[in-house]
Amino acid sequence: MSDEKSKAEKLREELSFKKESTWEQADREDVFEMAEDYKEFMEKAKTEREAYNYIVNRAEKEGFRDIDGKEEVEEGDKIIFKNRNKQVVLVKVGEDFEDVRMTLSHLDAPRLDLKQKPLYEGNDLCLADTHYYGGIKKYQWTNFPLAIHGTVIDKEGNKHTINIGEDKEEPVFLVPDLLPHLGKDQLKKELKDAIEGEELNIITGNIPFEKGEEEAVKLKVLQHLKNEYGFEEEDLMSAELEAVPAVEPRDLGFDRSMVAAYGQDDRGHSFVSLESFLDSETNKTTMACFFDKEEIGSEGNTSIQSTFLEKSVSKLLEKSGDERYHEGVYSFFDSVEALSMDVSAAVNPTYKDVHDEKNSINLGQGVAFVKFTGSGGKYRANDANAEFVGKIRKIFNEEEIPFHPVELGKVDKGGGGTVAKFLSRRGSDVVDMGFPLLSMHSPYEISSKVDIFHTFRASKAFYEG
Ligand code: MN
Ligand code: MN
């Protein structure tokens, strides 16, 4: 009997696909060291523009140069393509363009955007009206300290960069919720309606310019903006001011195993993509692409749906004398294999019901491998080809990278999309993968340090494999 059991155990070991914690599979010191760099990036890159600046600076320090200054492109060249301070593509030119490896990630994250005429006065307060960006649970963004980051173009066309609320010496901003004592009617509402979009109003001041004057508090705020930053109310019309959580990345848990930070979806993967791309060594041509506007459906001229990728590839082919330049750039995309690196939902033990246990991942279990995205009948999915998934799996297995197949929730419970489908329709093979998060799209998201580490290893193995 006991022999039989051990036979079954042996067979199980051989045939089944286990899901387990991967903390034992990594050098603890390496994991924690990478987490320090990760937190530094997350602290400096609170908006898509700040992430762009970080990536461009880092790449230029590593010798990446604009293609326009080059006569021709040859093996070993490091090239940077920049678009409107929000989108960037890095290329390390290899032997040829026959087998190109690419990673994709997005630089934007959910937040509260100030409206174009945001300021108004009510009950001796000056407030700023917002329109939220991306899919948020609105109630999470009230009574949470916010910083204002962004860019204002004044009437002369000068650009002003704003960043206020991060330093402990600086003030923060806040959306005030209703006190429980008077929240009786509010508390009867459905959670999704408890805080409405038009109620996400940020407090910005309380001192009147002069007693008895009309809108005196707002006037005082306008005076401050003029004196401190040099712009006027109408200048806010040509501005992108983003209210983002005024919290710094912190270690989470007694064991410091996790990171709590804002914007890990998806700047966490921008970090992993950048670092693994720079660190990888191969004869292949490799690319790391960073996009804006994923959270609102990848629309517009800084998103993956823009023609910026085509234009970059076209220049690359032309200057390298690749004859396919004359056929158009699409045959280039046929030679591209890509990882779309984005977050997955880790199972929250308090709400496990929303997941299919078999096709889900816990924090600490490594890389979430997402063959298909979409929702309700795989609608709007990128569904990677089995052949390609098999190829990537083989690369990961050879490097002993822990991964697990993941689907975003139970069938018909929800779902979501990534940038993958927009590359795949250009002819490339692309699959989604990344580390899991708890509290996705909240002001303070949770990741596990070991998953970030394994995802870096996975991405590096992909570039080199
Ligand atoms: Mn994402
Ligand atoms: Mn997202």
Side-chain angles (χ1 to χ4, degrees):
M1 185 67 194
S2 67
D3 258 357
E4 274 305 297
K5 199 179 166 192
S6 76
K7 233 184 183 173
E9 259 170 23
K10 256 170 124 180
L11 199 61
R12 189 171 294 125
E13 184 82 9
E14 205 180 300
L15 297 182
S16 39
F17 189 2
K18 270 190 297 188
K19 205 172 97 166
E20 57 195 2
S21 173
T22 62
W23 274 98
E24 296 304 321
Q25 284 167 256
D27 184 319
R28 211 59 58 91
E29 216 171 290
D30 292 345
V31 170
F32 280 80
E33 200 182 299
M34 178 166 291
E36 292 308 304
D37 294 339
Y38 178 85
K39 285 186 291 179
E40 195 194 313
F41 173 78
M42 295 309 297
E43 188 171 358
K44 286 186 181 151
K46 286 262 185 106
T47 65
E48 65 284 12
R49 285 174 188 266
E50 290 168 0
Y52 168 94
N53 288 340
Y54 182 102
I55 292 166
V56 168
N57 285 338
R58 181 78 208 281
E60 288 179 346
K61 253 184 222 151
E62 298 278 337
F64 284 78
R65 294 290 173 264
D66 208 284
I67 200 163
D68 293 332
K70 284 181 176 292
E71 283 286 303
E72 53 178 26
V73 167
E74 50 192 20
E75 188 178 353
D77 278 357
K78 298 179 189 175
I79 298 165
I80 184 167
F81 294 96
K82 297 181 266 191
N83 183 21
R84 294 180 169 86
N85 305 305
K86 294 172 180 177
Q87 184 180 21
V88 54
V89 170
L90 304 177
V91 186
K92 288 203 277 193
V93 180
E95 271 173 358
D96 53 39
F97 298 128
E98 295 309 314
D99 184 9
V100 178
R101 293 280 159 91
M102 178 189 281
T103 62
L104 316 167
S105 62
H106 64 92
L107 302 175
D108 59 321
R111 61 187 187 243
L112 305 182
D113 282 347
L114 268 61
K115 289 191 184 184
Q116 295 334 119
K117 191 179 180 190
L119 297 176
Y120 69 99
E121 184 162 333
N123 301 93
D124 293 327
L125 293 171
C126 180
L127 296 116
D129 214 346
T130 67
H131 193 140
Y132 63 97
Y133 175 96
I136 60 168
K137 290 165 91 174
K138 298 180 193 91
Y139 70 88
Q140 292 181 335
W141 291 72
T142 64
N143 286 97
F144 200 93
L146 300 168
I148 295 176
H149 293 224
T151 300
V152 180
I153 309 298
D154 69 22
K155 61 184 171 198
E156 313 292 345
N158 301 312
K159 189 188 267 195
H160 305 259
T161 300
I162 313 298
N163 182 333
I164 179 161
E166 298 294 349
D167 196 294
K168 283 197 178 66
E169 306 301 311
E170 290 170 354
V172 292
F173 304 88
L174 206 76
V175 175
D177 194 4
L178 198 53
L179 63 169
H181 318 66
L182 296 178
K184 231 173 94 189
D185 291 339
Q186 185 196 37
L187 288 168
K188 280 188 214 146
K189 291 186 185 173
E190 275 190 65
L191 201 51
K192 72 175 171 50
D193 304 320
I195 302 289
E196 303 206 7
E198 282 293 352
E199 292 171 352
L200 290 170
N201 304 320
I202 300 171
I203 297 184
T204 63
N206 179 228
I207 301 176
F209 175 71
E210 222 171 71
K211 215 167 84 180
E213 280 295 312
E214 211 184 313
E215 295 207 314
V217 182
K218 176 182 162 186
L219 190 60
K220 182 83 178 163
V221 167
L222 285 175
Q223 186 194 34
H224 176 81
L225 292 179
K226 180 71 179 173
N227 293 345
E228 198 75 15
Y229 304 105
F231 54 78
E232 299 159 15
E233 188 171 21
E234 192 185 299
D235 296 330
L236 299 178
M237 188 181 156
S238 45
E240 289 169 7
L241 293 177
E242 305 176 9
V244 297
V247 285
E248 55 186 311
R250 299 281 295 267
D251 287 343
L252 182 72
F254 288 116
D255 56 7
R256 296 178 168 264
S257 53
M258 293 162 281
V259 175
Y262 161 66
Q264 298 191 72
D265 174 10
D266 187 35
R267 288 190 282 270
H269 286 97
S270 302
F271 169 85
V272 170
S273 165
L274 177 68
E275 293 304 323
S276 61
F277 168 76
L278 294 175
D279 204 41
S280 61
E281 284 172 30
T282 173
N283 297 329
K284 292 187 184 80
T285 295
T286 53
M287 300 173 69
C289 309
F290 307 89
F291 302 100
D292 179 32
K293 299 285 188 282
E294 190 272 349
E295 294 293 356
I296 58 165
S298 292
E299 304 293 348
N301 62 11
T302 54
S303 78
I304 189 173
Q305 289 207 78
S306 76
T307 53
F308 177 68
L309 255 186
E310 278 79 359
K311 283 182 277 200
S312 304
V313 166
S314 167
K315 280 186 189 170
L316 192 66
L317 294 178
E318 184 188 6
K319 294 216 172 177
S320 63
D322 190 297
E323 59 200 23
R324 282 180 307 173
Y325 169 65
H326 302 289
E327 305 168 19
V329 296
Y330 283 101
S331 61
F332 176 90
F333 286 106
D334 283 333
S335 341
V336 171
E337 294 177 329
L339 293 183
S340 162
M341 299 179 63
D342 210 334
V343 294
S344 279
V347 178
N348 181 331
T350 312
Y351 306 102
K352 356 173 159 196
D353 280 2
V354 298
H355 296 274
D356 165 24
E357 175 66 27
K358 302 185 296 307
N359 293 279
S360 65
I361 195 163
N362 298 342
L363 282 190
Q365 290 186 329
V367 180
F369 208 125
V370 185
K371 183 179 179 292
F372 61 89
T373 53
S375 61
K378 296 196 179 182
Y379 198 70
R380 294 191 163 152
N382 176 65
D383 196 351
N385 295 309
E387 291 85 346
F388 181 57
V389 173
K391 185 173 179 177
I392 302 303
R393 215 188 101 203
K394 194 158 170 278
I395 293 174
F396 288 0
N397 275 330
E398 276 161 13
E399 295 297 321
E400 297 183 348
I401 287 148
F403 56 83
H404 204 269
V406 167
E407 189 172 338
L408 187 52
K410 276 182 180 158
V411 178
D412 291 339
K413 275 279 181 207
T418 65
V419 297
K421 61 182 176 181
F422 302 117
L423 184 71
S424 135
R425 70 160 66 134
R426 287 163 160 128
S428 308
D429 271 310
V430 51
V431 67
D432 281 290
M433 60 137 247
F435 53 80
L437 275 192
L438 282 179
S439 304
M440 193 193 297
H441 284 201
S442 80
Y444 219 24
E445 301 171 318
I446 300 162
S447 61
S448 176
K449 291 179 180 179
V450 78
D451 297 332
I452 296 167
F453 182 73
H454 287 311
T455 306
F456 165 85
R457 291 178 56 228
S459 175
K460 188 170 181 229
F462 165 75
Y463 275 128
E464 294 177 345

